[in-house]
């Protein structure tokens, strides 16, 4: 049976091995890694899927900040990577991890989520869209239609600015 556990209960080396299997060992060059450089994954929003003691999926979330041209700083939560062991993909594990994280987020842990991901997956199942991210900039290349957000913050999130790591953000 698959259970969802806090990610910090899993040895870091096991998580890295799974991420290499899902994304390839060159994944560190991706823009998402620049976004979170120097931060630590948010324990309350990072999870592992474990089946009979074996790690089969992970989801990590990170503190980032959107800085507007006028210097306003809006904290956001970067979701991802979401990764499932290749042999077990398309079996509902990604959805289990995302649903669990969103339940915790919507209960008060985070009100402004962002990610770089496929809208065909993260829009269809989880309500992420690129509708409000057209004025956001990142510290590296990305496909604009894959820059997604899901927010419920009162007053909204700024429509323009640069996103980077929130060093000293939520530990
Ligand atoms: C993307 C990923 C996390 C999805 O998790 P999963 O457990 O494989 O998928 P689920 O079982 O939750 O969802 C399956 C459904 O989503 C669809 N789906 C899965 N990945 C998709 C994608 N990248 N784009 C569009 N649809 C996708 C499937 O077609 C399936 O739809 P169906 O039910 O109509 O057949 C997983 O496949 C993975 O680790 N992929 C490699 C790494 C990656 O690309 N991660 C995403 C970027 S952060």
């Amino acid at each position: 049976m698959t259970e969802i556990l806090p990610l910090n209960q899993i040895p870091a080396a096991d998580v890295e091995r799974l991420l290499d299997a899902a994304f390839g060992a060159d994944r560190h060059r991706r823009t998402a890694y620049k976004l979170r450089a120097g931060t630590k994954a948010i324990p309350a929003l990072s999870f592992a899927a474990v089946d009979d003691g074996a790690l089969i999926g992970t989801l990590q979330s990170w503190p980032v900040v959107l800085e507007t041209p006028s210097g306003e700083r809006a904290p956001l939560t970067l979701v991802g990577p979401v990764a499932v062991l290749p042999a077990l993909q398309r079996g509902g594990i990604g959805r289990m991890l995302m649903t669990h994280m969103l339940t915790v987020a919507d209960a008060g842990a985070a009100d402004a989520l962002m990610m770089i991901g496929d809208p065909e997956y993260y829009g269809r199942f989880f309500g992420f869209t690129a509708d409000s991210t057209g004025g956001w900039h990142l510290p590296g290349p990305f496909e604009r239609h894959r820059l997604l957000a899901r927010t419920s913050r009162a007053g909204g999130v700024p429509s323009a600015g640069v996103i980077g790591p929130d060093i000293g953000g939520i530990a």
Side-chain angles (χ1 to χ4, degrees):
M1 210 190 79
T2 302
E3 55 182 337
I4 304 295
L5 301 176
L7 190 63
N8 56 15
Q9 292 185 11
I10 309 295
D14 293 0
V15 175
E16 294 303 304
R17 205 172 309 119
L18 186 142
L19 291 172
D20 282 347
F23 289 100
D26 63 348
R27 60 192 164 87
H28 297 273
R29 288 201 296 267
R30 290 171 176 236
T31 296
Y33 281 77
K34 296 194 176 88
L35 278 180
R36 61 184 230 207
T39 69
K40 288 193 177 133
I42 302 167
L45 292 168
S46 298
F47 299 100
V50 173
D51 195 71
D52 278 338
L55 180 67
I56 58 174
T58 61
L59 184 162
Q60 289 162 297
S61 303
W62 310 84
V64 297
V65 61
L66 171 67
E67 188 159 353
T68 70
S70 61
E72 182 191 346
R73 288 166 59 84
L76 307 175
T77 301
L78 168 66
V79 176
V82 186
V84 175
L85 214 55
L88 298 176
Q89 286 175 5
R90 314 223 156 180
I93 296 156
R95 253 190 278 184
M96 234 173 141
L97 283 161
M98 281 294 292
T99 302
H100 193 86
M101 183 278 296
L102 290 174
T103 302
V104 176
D106 291 346
D111 63 359
L113 307 175
M114 58 132 330
M115 69 185 320
I116 304 171
D118 294 332
E120 298 82 3
Y121 183 69
Y122 294 101
R124 178 179 164 205
F125 295 115
F126 312 112
F128 281 81
T129 79
D131 295 351
S132 62
T133 68
W136 292 2
H137 298 280
L138 305 183
F142 65 100
E143 294 171 272
R144 185 140 295 284
H145 75 282
R146 299 184 77 244
L147 180 56
L148 308 177
R150 178 186 184 278
T151 93
S152 59
R153 184 171 295 169
V157 170
S159 60
V162 181
I163 301 177
D166 192 3
I167 310 287
I170 307 164

